[in-house]
Amino acid sequence: MVLSGNDKTNVKGLFAKIGGQADDYGAETLERMFVTYPQTKTYFAHFDMAKGSAQIKGHGKKVAAALVEAVNHIDDIAGALSKLSDLHAQKLRVDPVNFKLLGQCFLVVVATRNPAALTPEVHASLDKFLCAVGNVLTAKYR
Amino acid sequence: HVSACVPPSVPRLLIVYPWTQRFFSSFGNLSSPTAIIGNPKVRAHGKKVLTSFGDAIKNLDNIKTTYSKLSELHCDKLHVDPENFRLLGDILVIVLASHFGGDFTPACQFAWQKLVGVVAHALAHKYH
């Protein structure tokens, strides 16, 4: 699966709209993921799961930053996220299925906050982008 | 308003996951998002899906039985990989989110993802 020129434009455009709220998007994505897919909490047994917890906010910021970094280097996501890819392969070892769940929740956050922006075409591009990020993060698993 | 979200999910599925178009080769022009959204057969199919989803919601305690014949149809005649039911369910959740905004709370999302999961499971139940 390859990101077309259109996909890249759509993704960059959407993230430009998100702008400084990326941290909030990240935190809400995680909150939704933990509620909607409780099994994802198994990777965060040490976290305070209360709504608005500092840990969830902090981790949401990290997730958002990684997505923004990928958007800013959308022609070479693998290069941009190489260290993160190593981390997931060697230390975190989050099962690959969970990246799709995170992606779904990010799409839901975008949908609730920017319904007009999430046209079917932009939805397709964003979904492809999130898949690409997930693929990069699991690329070195074996 | 929920019912307004089901029909648009079908064209969105065909646009976001274009390989799902493989089941609709008799539907005519699916060559672009505009064509897909305007296609009358796609719209008609969206209405069918809505009616059937409505049946599921009215028979939540009995979904597997409600969908028994539909499951057989999707397996024996339509030959649809059940993964496609999960894809449609995910798309429906996103359309609901666009529609309801902040009212589509995490708890709401949880309930709907479970519902679409149960519907997908019921549709796949008679596969053999």
Side-chain angles (χ1 to χ4, degrees):
Chain A
M1 168 198 48
V2 172
L3 295 176
S4 69
N6 254 5
D7 290 327
K8 293 177 188 177
T9 305
N10 286 341
V11 171
K12 280 177 181 284
L14 186 84
F15 271 78
K17 287 200 173 80
I18 292 175
Q21 295 174 69
D23 290 353
D24 282 346
Y25 277 57
E28 193 185 329
T29 296
L30 289 178
E31 186 201 343
R32 283 183 180 275
M33 188 182 72
F34 293 142
V35 170
T36 307
Y37 308 109
Q39 67 273 22
T40 57
K41 292 189 290 186
T42 57
Y43 294 96
F44 298 93
H46 53 296
F47 263 34
D48 167 15
M49 285 296 173
K51 191 170 152 72
S53 97
Q55 281 176 310
I56 295 188
K57 279 209 180 105
H59 199 71
K61 222 173 147 181
K62 274 190 202 168
V63 170
L67 289 177
V68 168
E69 184 72 0
V71 173
N72 289 340
H73 297 89
I74 205 164
D75 291 326
D76 181 19
I77 298 177
L81 300 187
S82 178
K83 289 221 159 48
L84 215 49
S85 179
D86 291 337
L87 182 72
H88 281 77
Q90 291 153 22
K91 191 153 175 279
L92 304 177
R93 292 172 292 183
V94 172
D95 190 282
V97 71
N98 293 287
F99 296 98
K100 174 139 176 55
L101 305 182
L102 182 74
Q104 172 74 357
C105 291
F106 185 76
L107 283 163
V108 167
V109 175
V110 172
T112 59
R113 296 189 185 210
N114 287 281
L118 201 66
T119 61
E121 293 93 316
V122 171
H123 180 166
S125 298
L126 189 55
D127 192 80
K128 279 172 80 172
F129 167 74
L130 294 167
C131 280
V133 170
N135 287 343
V136 163
L137 292 179
T138 58
K140 301 176 196 174
Y141 271 31
R142 57 178 171 170
Chain B
H1 14 199
V2 166
S3 39
C5 294
V6 177
S9 302
V10 172
R12 193 171 277 250
L13 174 76
L14 299 176
I15 293 166
V16 175
Y17 305 115
W19 56 93
T20 58
Q21 293 169 26
R22 69 189 298 289
F23 303 107
F24 300 98
S25 48
S26 66
F27 273 30
N29 187 7
L30 299 177
S31 59
S32 70
T34 315
I36 291 172
I37 291 167
N39 185 309
K41 285 190 174 173
V42 172
R43 270 209 224 122
H45 195 71
K47 289 207 182 107
K48 260 197 207 167
V49 172
L50 168 60
T51 304
S52 154
F53 207 79
D55 288 342
I57 295 187
K58 284 184 218 143
N59 293 281
L60 281 177
D61 292 329
N62 202 13
I63 283 191
K64 286 202 183 106
T65 311
T66 306
Y67 271 12
S68 179
K69 288 254 144 28
L70 215 50
S71 179
E72 285 169 4
L73 177 77
H74 280 77
C75 173
D76 301 330
K77 292 267 151 57
L78 305 176
H79 310 292
V80 177
D81 178 350
E83 177 60 19
N84 292 284
F85 310 140
R86 290 175 253 293
L87 291 179
L88 180 62
D90 278 354
I91 296 271
L92 176 59
V93 165
I94 288 167
V95 175
L96 286 165
S98 316
H99 207 79
F100 290 101
D103 287 346
F104 198 66
T105 60
C108 227
Q109 182 186 349
F110 182 29
W112 276 94
Q113 294 277 183
K114 273 206 274 186
L115 175 62
V116 300
V118 163
V119 169
H121 185 79
L123 267 176
H125 192 245
K126 280 290 162 72
Y127 273 55
H128 57 101

